[in-house]
């Protein structure tokens, strides 16, 4: 809820649909502050991308558990960062790769996910939006609900 409020405040007059879908039995034990920063940084970047568009504007977080661990599928309907930038960003090697295309916040999100022994992957980023998959291991991943964020 806190991330949603902060992101929507940044959106100003842009009506953004912020959807969080989370299994009621999903729980994880992790560093709440790091996970908050990951979700906040991705949401903040999404709001910036959505400001460049008109029409249906949405940020969606889907949280579920599979055999890999706890998964957070994060997507938006923003402008995306294009094929070349998405390809460079898949490596997440250095902050320079992110300059002007997600900013340092994306690099920080990546580093925090890795500190939590998880993985973050750019699934797609184009003119119809950006999609990330964050996977956190079972043993390291407790939030009773993503609504707390």
């Amino acid at each position: 809820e806190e991330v949603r409020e902060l992101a929507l405040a940044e959106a100003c007059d842009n009506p953004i649909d912020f959807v969080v879908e989370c299994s009621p039995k999903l729980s994880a034990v992790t560093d709440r502050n790091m996970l908050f920063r990951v979700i906040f940084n991705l949401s903040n970047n999404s709001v910036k991308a959505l400001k460049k568009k008109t029409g249906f504007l949405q940020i969606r977080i889907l949280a579920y558990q599979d055999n890999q661990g706890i998964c957070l599928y994060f997507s938006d309907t923003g402008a995306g960062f294009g094929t070349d930038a998405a390809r460079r960003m898949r490596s997440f090697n250095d902050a320079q790769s992110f300059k002007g295309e997600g900013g340092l916040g994306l690099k920080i999100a990546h580093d925090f996910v890795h500190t939590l022994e998880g993985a973050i992957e750019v699934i797609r980023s184009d003119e119809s939006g950006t999609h990330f998959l964050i996977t956190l291991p079972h043993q390291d991943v407790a939030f009773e609900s993503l609504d707390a964020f």
Side-chain angles (χ1 to χ4, degrees), residues 1-10 18 32-48 59 61 72 74 105-106 108-109 112 134 149:
E1 192 61 37
E2 191 177 349
V3 168
R4 181 183 307 173
E5 288 175 19
L6 290 169
L8 294 178
E10 176 68 25
F18 199 116
R32 184 190 189 287
N33 290 328
M34 279 193 191
L35 186 57
F36 174 87
R37 292 307 307 175
V38 169
I39 295 170
F40 174 78
N41 286 342
L42 293 177
S43 298
N44 192 44
N45 286 349
S46 291
V47 167
K48 290 175 185 173
I59 297 171
I61 303 171
L72 301 174
F74 188 98
L106 191 52
I108 292 168
F112 282 0
I134 300 167
F149 293 97

Side-chain angles (χ1 to χ4, degrees), residues 9-98:
E10 176 68 25
C12 301
D13 295 330
N14 293 6
I16 296 174
D17 183 30
F18 199 116
V19 178
V20 178
E21 298 175 44
C22 182
S23 168
K25 295 185 179 188
L26 183 66
S27 69
V29 178
T30 191
D31 184 311
R32 184 190 189 287
N33 290 328
M34 279 193 191
L35 186 57
F36 174 87
R37 292 307 307 175
V38 169
I39 295 170
F40 174 78
N41 286 342
L42 293 177
S43 298
N44 192 44
N45 286 349
S46 291
V47 167
K48 290 175 185 173
L50 289 167
K51 284 182 175 182
K52 300 174 186 175
K53 290 192 74 174
T54 59
F56 180 66
L57 307 177
Q58 183 181 64
I59 297 171
R60 182 172 179 244
I61 303 171
L62 172 62
Y64 60 95
Q65 186 169 339
D66 69 6
N67 59 358
Q68 300 293 313
I70 303 298
C71 300
L72 301 174
Y73 192 87
F74 188 98
S75 63
D76 67 47
T77 58
F81 19 83
T83 307
D84 292 338
R87 186 172 44 250
R88 284 196 319 274
M89 293 173 76
R90 280 190 174 88
S91 69
F92 288 101
N93 285 333
D94 66 83
Q96 282 304 106
S97 296
F98 301 94

